[in-house]
């Protein structure tokens, strides 16, 4: 099995993954998969009884680290075995078609206005800036932290998403443009840490967690379960509330139209009271306009 693992790590399939994904895979492979299955003979990997061993291992990971981690680790193992099976290095794929253990989902979790205010009140400027950019643009943490001043033309930011490889132009709100225009351009990268250096992923994660902890101590208990990645869904919701269409939202976040519609219809729109308020506001506005029109028509008839 170790030979298969080594081959996968050298493969183009692994190389084509986003850098952050490769790091996650490599870390879990070294920590969980190699110690458990590295010495497993290939004939045992193919054996029907191996399926029970693989799934029992997933159950143990779930007990130790939770179902989300168990599903992710198993997905990496399954990808390695699938790669080997496609090359006929093993005759059977004993990891295929697993059912997920984790039932939860973060797609209906967003940063409410009071949550955002609490985090910004607690966060130092160098932590707050990436957070605000993510809220306003709907981009992932890795893309936000790597944005450069060259990509910003005063109106929009041009970037290539690291996860998808998609190139896009993200127009910025007036509020975000004003904020960026007050930031000192101390380096080529827009978001810098307290030492004036580009953020590392782990460094920002630690600093963001520290800012959250301060906000929680100050009474913002609701943000305990929120993550930086939840800003992406928050941006989708806020754009929908502002009246943006699904294609308009997708053009900024780079969700597919189908995914954007699914997010809005299934997870977000029915769960945010502000959307209902926005809808009624539009109905009232239409009613007032209709009343003016009808009033003008009736007046002309009277004359």
């Amino acid at each position: 099995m170790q030979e298969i693992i080594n081959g996968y790590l050298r493969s183009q399939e692994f190389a084509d993954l986003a850098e952050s994904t490769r790091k996650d895979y490599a870390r879990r492979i070294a920590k969980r998969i190699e110690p458990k299955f590295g010495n497993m003979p290939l004939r045992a990997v193919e054996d029907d009884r191996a399926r029970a061993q693989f799934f029992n291992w997933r159950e143990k990971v779930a007990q130790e680290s939770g179902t989300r981690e168990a599903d992710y680790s198993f997905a990496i193992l399954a990808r390695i075995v699938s790669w080997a099976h496609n090359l006929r290095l093993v005759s059977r794929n004993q990891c295929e078609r697993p059912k997920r253990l984790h039932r939860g989902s973060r797609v209906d979790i967003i940063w409410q206005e009071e949550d955002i205010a609490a985090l910004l009140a607690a966060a130092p400027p160098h932590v707050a800036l990436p957070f605000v950019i993510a809220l306003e643009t709907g981009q992932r943490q890795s893309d936000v932290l790597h944005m450069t001043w060259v990509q910003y033309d005063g109106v929009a930011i041009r970037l290539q998403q690291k996860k998808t490889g998609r190139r896009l132009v993200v127009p910025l709100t007036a509020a975000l443009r004003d904020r960026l225009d007050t930031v000192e351009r101390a380096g080529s990268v827009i978001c810098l840490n307290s030492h004036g250096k580009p953020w590392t992923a782990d460094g920002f994660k630690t600093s963001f967690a520290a800012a959250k902890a301060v906000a929680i101590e100050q009474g913002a208990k609701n943000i305990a379960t929120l993550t930086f990645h939840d800003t992406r869904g928050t941006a989708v919701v806020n754009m929908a509330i502002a009246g943006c269409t699904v294609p308009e939202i997708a053009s900024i976040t780079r969700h597919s139209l189908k995914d954007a519609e699914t997010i809005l219809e299934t997870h977000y729109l029915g769960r945010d009271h502000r959307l209902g308020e926005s809808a009624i506001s539009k109905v009232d506005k239409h009613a007032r306009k209709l009343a003016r029109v009808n009033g003008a028509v009736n007046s002309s008839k009277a004359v």
Side-chain angles (χ1 to χ4, degrees), residues 205 233 257 291:
K205 182 178 180 180
L257 290 177

Side-chain angles (χ1 to χ4, degrees), residues 126 191-200:
H126 58 281
C191 297
L192 302 175
N193 62 23
S194 59
H195 302 291
K197 303 295 183 182
W199 285 103
T200 63

